Amino acid sequence: MIHTQYKVTGHLIDVTYTEKEVNEIFKPLLEKLVMFRKEKNARVIVYLAAPPGAGKTILSLFLEDLYKEQGYPYTFQSIAMDGFHHDNDYLNQHTVIRNGREDLLKKYKGIPESFNLTALKEKIEALTQHQHVNWPTYDRALHDVSKETISVNADIVLIEGNYLLLEKEGWNELTEYCDYTLFIQTGLSNIEDRLIDRKQLGGATPAEAVNHYEQTDKINAELVLSHSAKADLTLELTSDGQLKEI
């Protein structure tokens, strides 16, 4: 077993992966990406999509660390699409129709409509054309888009996010820019407690956390699980928290 910690949404999260996951899934995946980079002789862009709570952020960070341990000849960088949320000012001034009524987007922050898809598409396209790209980030302490950006300049860039493989108008155009796709499949029962606990870590009461799960996280998860394009590699998050290839 491999144990480590990552800071996610402002909190230290303990992570455990088995030797089987590392040796039979993760390392072969990284070797494949290195081969793609060598054959393409240009930047390789990888998408990692999954429903909320399935561990995609943790996995992306772990893959970056594991990659760096292998001594491969190319650089690897993991980034997230969270910085493409519309800022809170926008969300408080725009509405969306949910459950037959019009509500502020802020109430349903995290749904596809709360992201700036045009800006996301432009930045991913820029990754295919430019060596250095300034990538927006999200401030978990402020719960808003950060003014800070990170410089993306790696040979292999892994982007993680819920909706990268979404088969909806506009979103389905994103796959034009990537070379390889990953998806984490799971059942709602495997992520419900994770999502409720995560919301409480952010300061919500138990009742607020359950309400947020029912109003937003559950709906988003169902959307991702039922309307995502088939990935090049699909992993299943099992009830015991492990990943297996399917």
Side-chain angles (χ1 to χ4, degrees):
M1 303 289 279
I2 298 174
H3 304 277
T4 187
Q5 280 187 329
Y6 290 106
K7 193 171 186 178
V8 179
T9 63
H11 302 279
L12 280 176
I13 307 296
D14 293 317
V15 183
T16 301
Y17 289 114
T18 65
E19 294 287 347
K20 183 175 182 180
E21 288 172 297
V22 172
N23 293 323
E24 296 185 11
I25 302 175
F26 303 157
K27 286 184 178 179
L29 165 64
L30 296 179
E31 289 167 3
K32 182 176 292 186
L33 298 181
V34 169
M35 179 190 69
F36 285 168
R37 174 60 181 80
K38 181 179 180 180
E39 293 177 349
K40 185 180 180 182
N41 196 30
R43 172 175 286 144
V44 167
I45 298 176
V46 184
Y47 292 167
L48 168 56
K56 64 187 175 303
T57 302
I58 292 293
L59 178 57
S60 70
L61 296 172
F62 182 79
L63 287 174
E64 181 174 347
D65 284 348
L66 182 64
Y67 184 95
K68 291 175 179 177
E69 292 174 1
Q70 306 309 306
Y72 292 125
Y74 308 110
T75 53
F76 184 106
Q77 198 168 0
S78 170
I79 55 179
M81 61 171 274
D82 285 353
F84 293 92
H85 275 97
H86 285 295
D87 61 32
N88 287 337
D89 286 343
Y90 179 99
L91 298 178
N92 280 318
Q93 295 175 32
H94 292 77
T95 59
V96 64
I97 303 297
R98 301 285 282 202
N99 303 317
R101 71 177 193 179
E102 187 176 19
D103 273 321
L104 285 176
L105 260 177
K106 179 69 183 297
K107 183 176 179 180
Y108 299 101
K109 189 173 183 176
I111 66 175
E113 293 90 337
S114 68
F115 285 88
N116 188 338
L117 175 58
T118 299
L120 173 62
K121 192 183 304 181
E122 289 174 352
K123 282 293 184 181
I124 296 177
E125 185 175 11
L127 287 173
T128 69
Q129 300 172 348
H130 306 289
Q131 178 59 32
H132 295 267
V133 175
N134 289 324
W135 192 264
T137 60
Y138 190 83
D139 190 322
R140 292 291 173 181
L142 296 176
H143 301 289
D144 205 351
V145 178
S146 174
K147 294 181 180 179
E148 298 182 1
T149 61
I150 58 174
S151 176
V152 181
N153 55 22
D155 298 305
I156 301 171
V157 177
L158 186 153
I159 308 173
E160 60 94 352
N162 295 332
Y163 307 120
L164 292 169
L165 296 179
L166 192 62
E167 290 188 302
K168 294 288 185 180
E169 184 177 357
W171 291 94
N172 57 8
E173 298 173 9
L174 295 180
T175 53
E176 297 175 16
Y177 306 107
C178 73
D179 301 283
Y180 194 78
T181 57
L182 306 166
F183 187 77
I184 301 176
Q185 177 76 38
T186 193
L188 289 178
S189 60
N190 296 331
I191 58 176
E192 179 176 354
D193 288 345
R194 289 185 178 202
L195 290 166
I196 292 172
D197 290 345
R198 186 170 77 182
K199 195 65 179 176
Q200 290 182 77
L201 276 175
T205 66
E208 289 170 340
V210 170
N211 184 59
H212 185 269
Y213 172 76
E214 293 292 339
Q215 269 198 338
T216 303
D217 282 339
K218 181 180 179 181
I219 295 170
N220 293 343
E222 289 174 334
L223 175 65
V224 172
L225 289 169
S226 61
H227 289 86
S228 290
K230 181 175 174 56
D232 295 309
L233 174 62
T234 300
L235 305 176
E236 180 184 3
L237 175 67
T238 61
S239 58
D240 59 4
Q242 294 185 17
L243 294 169
K244 68 177 184 179
E245 188 173 344
I246 57 175

